[in-house]
Amino acid sequence: MSTRAVTFRAAALLLLVVFVTRPQLFAFAFVPLTANNAPAIYNQGSLLALTLSHVRIVFLATLASTILAVALAIFVTRPAGREFLPLSRSLVNIGQTFPPIAVLAIAVPLVGFGEKPTFIALFLYGLLPIFENTLAGLTEVSPRTLEAARGMGMNAWQRLWQVELPLALPVILAGIRLSVIISLGTATIGSTVAAKGLGEVIIAGLQSNNVAFILQGGLVVALLAVLIHDGLGLAERAAARRLGRPLDEIA
Amino acid sequence: MPTLRPTLHLDRLGSVIAGLIGLALVASPFVTYRANRIVSGEGRLLFDALPPAGAVGTILVVIGVALCAALAHRPLVRLAAASLGLCVIFPAVGVSAGFVTPVGNTFARVSPAIGFWLLALAFALLAADALTRLRLGPWGRLAALSIAAGMLALLLLSGAWSDLSLMKEYANRAESFWREGRQHLWLAFGSMGAACLVGLPLGLASHRVPALRAALLQGLSIVQTIPSIALFGILIAPLGYLAANVPLAAALGIRGIGAAPAFIALFLYSLLPVVANTMAGLSQVPADVTEAARGMGLSRRQRLVQIELPLAFPVILAGIRIVLVQNLGLATIAALIGGGGFGTFVFQGIGQTAIDLVLLGALPTVALSFAAAIILDAIIDLTRRGGHDRD
Amino acid sequence: MIEIEHLSKHYGDNIVVDDVSFAVGDGEIAVVVGTSGAGKSTLLRMINRLVVPNTGRVLIDGQDTATLPEDELRHRIGYVIQGYGLFPHRTVAENISTVPRLLGWDRRRIAARVEELLDLFQLDPGEFAQKFPHQLSGGQQQRVGVARALAAKPALLLMDEPFGSLDPVIRGKAQDDLLAIQRRLGTTIVLVTHDMNEAFHLGDRIAVMDQARLLQYAKPADLLTHPAEAFVEQLVGTAERPFRLLSLVTVKDAMEPGSAEGEPITVSATLRDALAQLIWRGRPALPVTDASGAPVGRISVDGILKHGRASLS
């Protein structure tokens, strides 16, 4: 990684941290967007608290989806679960035509407002990319490698943990990254069902017709998403490198 | 290969589906009855939700489908069973609405409940599995889609569902439903069209100019990572400024809030798949093919139009499929910033905790994305075959 | 001692291996040769039970392999396949230590074993231990594949087209290296190939298979002099038979007392090489020396021809 790229990332991260901890420092930039002496900086809660709770729900939901999705993908690629493989493939295809907002909206009447419907939507929608990628990663392991593993007396469990999963890891990580990005967006919409998150700033701006709120909310969410996406990309490449994969294999 | 098995052999997947059906039948209400639109409802099991004869008939059909799922192995039989099940429970839930509502009560609302949805899910899973195993060709899939769409249209037009809460919500807003529908399609297809107009030349240019490639892809993939509302929000400020200061923009209907930022955001999201797939499609044209074309004296332009673009077409179409499905879903969010579309009902429904209103917005969106995915997948398959051996 | 007794395997109506029996002595190399689809690989994979036979059994030192847990059995048998199946996510050292780790060897013992094997296969441990398979050449990968199979000191090594992915230039060298290592370690090897030259080069005994059946199992010379069926004769190549035969015998066996002028030939050279030298030098006879260079006798064109006629008749 070039020093320019490092500096650029560090600067973006610093900007985000300073903005959410000391937003008033940036008030001068947002004042021109306000009318009728409306506040220039979001004042109905702490940006830092919203950011943390936003990240927390995405993290927890992604963790849950990762566990279930990887477990399901492992199941359908074992002899016992083979019968479920074709259907699970089509389900992933069908599931991705569901917009996340629909999942969110349908969850509300079932579990009420707040974090719960957001968590459910994040969790369910996050399953798809991780499942799809884990499936791809596991089915792409070369049959020759598996034959060698079997021939050396690795049992099914050892083959899974020592050969299949490590080889699938970069692809699984790419799925998790995709899932995190979708979840960051869905969590923003979650504010419409009263989940604590950065969407609140944008919604508040829309309700009070305050463009300054809308813009700063948008910028913080966008910066957060780009930084997280980038950070996960670095982790993926590091994993690929540790697995001895040539770097250009991972886009 | 085991072809004939004299003994009964349980299908694993089918057993799970049968279990789901059992759960729906025994332990979950088929419809929810509410005295009015807002209050919480009470569930009715299938047996209490229909006139006795109808209830027994429906239950028998449902049990029959469950048995088929668990014991039958031929995909066609399973598909037939699943279709029969769907053809029974969909009208049944409409009939049930009329049956459960006290005569003359116009405030009462009846909605499909968890039991109905579980049954529908189980039958849909069974059908999807059977269809997957049948490996239908593109025409077969299109035919299956048209049959499903036709049945759905018949159901809605026949008025069988008119006593359901969902259709009552529709009846109250029929006009705005179609207006928002048109807006939804305009947002999704319009931004896709714009993205094709800009993205195809951009993809072509970056195929020819490698220096452009990396920068363009990186920039566009950053845009893709920005969540939709955030991008809407970021666009609102400059568009608002434009509207306030440039009379022409205002005259064109551009305002800070409304359809303009949504349209532009969807357009920006659409660029990456179009550009990336155009590039990928062009770069996978075999070198010897273009070499042969050069050798035969085709000009650069002729090569592009006659050779490269047709060969890249399926890959470009795959990009368009991604864009279309993505846009149909994302357009729902446009309602949040006043951009209209089916999302209007979703957000209204969330505000009023009226699930049927949410469904009125969500179901058409899902149906549209679903149909778009199937149709485009079929078209992609047809173009991949080179248009020759269509059977 | 490996005893294969009446092994058969069929998938539905398709018979892949049909009642095959033979035995391989300790420290011997048995090569199974035949056209593709003859059932060679399936036969090999029944020895480590990657394929479970329908009938018949395999005894290793008198013990029926079916009585052992499969994984335990495979830990004791080295296995090399075409393309080697190296784990792409593990370094050379980690690849080689796979079975020792499964067996729970302690770390120091594993490290010592890895180093020993890398030395044995002429791969500098400092340079190669931490490399990943994709950083190796084909020949290096092949050596790592064999080293990995030998890691836990198996008494038996199964090889399925182990040289199949190598280009002809390094294939010969790899075969010689394998022979040298096998002579040194005394490992029993069952090797599958479709390449007749490879079979004659490596095999102490050769099993010829065709259409699921074992046609003949014999020493290379017997295969040449007494082919059991027309197919075997055709497979070993009618025209090349005399030359193949000569390449199986060393100068020692056809040497005559006396001396001759010219460039000496060592006693361990094959008769084929000696004949080539005689023709090339245009001489009726050449002197023979032992390993230290001391003259021990002479070899003549007539002597070679006489020897050839004797063994062919």
Side-chain angles (χ1 to χ4, degrees), chain A residues 33 80 83-84 86-87 90-91 94 96-99 101-102 105-106 108-109 113 181 184-185 188-189 192-193 202-203 206 209 211 214-215 218-219 221-222 225-226 229, chain B residues 11-13 16 125 128-129 132-133 222 224-230 233-234 236-237 257 325 329 332-333 336-337 346-347 350 353 355 358-359 362 365-366 369-370 373:
Chain A
L33 294 168
E83 284 182 39
F84 294 85
L87 178 67
S90 352
L91 276 188
I94 296 170
Q96 276 164 345
T97 61
F98 264 69
I101 177 69
I106 290 168
V108 172
F113 281 96
I181 290 308
L184 278 169
T188 319
I189 310 170
T192 57
V193 297
I202 303 173
I203 307 280
L206 287 167
N209 213 357
V211 178
I214 301 177
L215 183 62
L219 287 176
V221 171
V226 170
H229 183 256
Chain B
D11 183 271
R12 280 161 187 269
L13 175 73
V16 172
L125 284 179
D129 182 55
T132 311
R133 283 173 204 276
I222 287 180
Q224 279 270 335
T225 58
I226 300 177
S228 48
I229 319 191
I234 292 171
I236 284 174
I257 286 185
V325 172
T332 333
I333 319 283
L336 202 59
I337 54 165
V346 175
F347 287 111
I350 292 177
T353 10
I355 191 173
V358 168
L359 289 178
T365 313
V366 171
S369 322
F370 186 60

Side-chain angles (χ1 to χ4, degrees), chain A residues 16-130:
Chain A
L16 181 67
V17 170
V18 174
F19 194 94
V20 298
T21 50
R22 294 264 179 282
Q24 291 302 337
L25 290 178
F26 298 84
F28 68 92
F30 291 99
V31 167
L33 294 168
T34 60
N36 307 327
N37 285 329
I41 295 297
Y42 186 66
N43 57 358
Q44 296 162 21
S46 138
L47 275 183
L48 180 63
L50 290 180
T51 309
L52 290 180
S53 113
H54 197 108
V55 171
R56 195 182 59 119
I57 195 167
V58 170
F59 174 77
L60 291 177
T62 308
L63 187 68
S65 346
T66 305
I67 293 171
L68 185 62
V70 171
L72 284 177
I74 290 174
F75 171 68
V76 298
T77 48
R78 300 307 104 182
R82 287 267 175 214
E83 284 182 39
F84 294 85
L85 183 60
L87 178 67
S88 62
R89 280 222 167 97
S90 352
L91 276 188
V92 169
N93 272 332
I94 296 170
Q96 276 164 345
T97 61
F98 264 69
I101 177 69
V103 183
L104 186 69
I106 290 168
V108 172
L110 300 178
V111 296
F113 281 96
E115 309 263 301
K116 276 193 213 154
T118 313
F119 184 86
I120 290 175
L122 261 56
F123 166 71
L124 286 179
Y125 210 77
L127 286 173
L128 301 176
I130 303 177

